[in-house]
Amino acid sequence: MRRPTLFLTVGLPGTGKTTAARRIEIERGALRLTKDEWVKALFGPENPESAGDVIEGRLIQIGLRTLELGNTVIIDFGLWSRDERSALRQAATDRDATVQMLYFELTPAEQRRRLDQRQTEAPHTTWPMSDEELAEWAAWIEVPTQGELDGSEPIGGPPAGFATWDEWRGHRWPPSVC
């Protein structure tokens, strides 16, 4: 039996993460977990940050259980921080799954063009994003190293104050909004 794989899509909005995740879903018969689809279904035009974190956490729980059952999963969130990616890499390793990290990057002009096109063609799937927000987010993202991408770089320990990556994961992705 083939080991399950956890695919992690990493990148800013509009860079092609969900398009790739949909392709992998079909090619690999994988469970695709795309946060934006859930936030849109539950909150419509709103995009509450605290609820988004809880939804991500719940989807991660589903994804990890799916790995335990021997199936491949795609986490399609962006995963801008190295800590997020490390926590998920460790969780997959703990479940005897392999990890494939995919990083998506575009020029700001192409990203803007794609986001504008999405807003025009499928506004029910997205939210307006200003150039200021895009610039701010581009400054926040921790671009994965080559070692992260190819899996050769050790995961390392969790941030200070956390004994395990599971503990950090519970903090980062809280179980409820309150």
Side-chain angles (χ1 to χ4, degrees):
M1 186 166 110
R2 190 168 74 181
R3 287 172 61 193
T5 301
L6 176 63
F7 286 89
L8 303 175
T9 63
V10 180
L12 294 168
T15 56
K17 297 179 308 296
T18 299
T19 299
R22 287 181 178 137
R23 179 183 46 78
I24 295 165
E25 174 185 31
I26 292 167
E27 290 173 358
R28 298 286 300 267
L31 175 63
R32 178 177 56 86
L33 300 169
T34 301
K35 176 189 80 168
D36 290 351
E37 293 174 356
W38 285 83
V39 173
K40 272 294 190 181
L42 294 169
F43 299 100
E46 302 299 317
N47 189 7
E49 186 175 337
S50 61
D53 291 345
V54 172
I55 289 169
E56 284 183 9
R58 294 297 172 150
L59 293 175
I60 288 167
Q61 289 176 342
I62 292 167
L64 295 178
R65 179 64 182 135
T66 301
L67 290 175
E68 291 170 354
L69 294 171
N71 298 301
T72 292
V73 175
I74 309 148
I75 301 288
D76 179 26
F77 298 169
L79 302 169
W80 296 352
S81 85
R82 181 182 177 96
D83 285 346
E84 291 171 331
R85 299 186 300 266
S86 293
L88 294 174
R89 286 175 64 203
Q90 185 62 60
T93 299
D94 292 346
R95 287 156 179 82
D96 197 32
T98 61
V99 177
Q100 288 192 24
M101 190 179 307
L102 307 170
Y103 175 58
F104 299 86
E105 182 178 35
L106 292 173
T107 65
E110 178 61 14
Q111 179 189 23
R112 175 83 269 160
R113 186 194 70 74
R114 286 185 182 190
L115 291 171
D116 290 346
Q117 181 178 3
R118 184 190 313 164
Q119 188 66 46
T120 299
E121 294 175 0
H124 62 285
T125 66
T126 191
W127 297 270
M129 296 173 222
S130 70
D131 289 341
E132 293 77 22
E133 287 173 313
L134 295 178
E136 183 179 340
W137 298 335
W140 286 351
I141 191 169
E142 296 176 60
V143 174
T145 64
Q146 185 58 45
E148 267 189 288
L149 291 170
D150 66 22
S152 65
E153 195 170 304
I155 296 169
F162 297 94
T164 66
W165 279 113
D166 282 343
E167 183 184 339
W168 183 88
R169 205 173 65 241
H171 172 79
R172 166 60 184 89
W173 292 292
S176 67
V177 175
C178 300

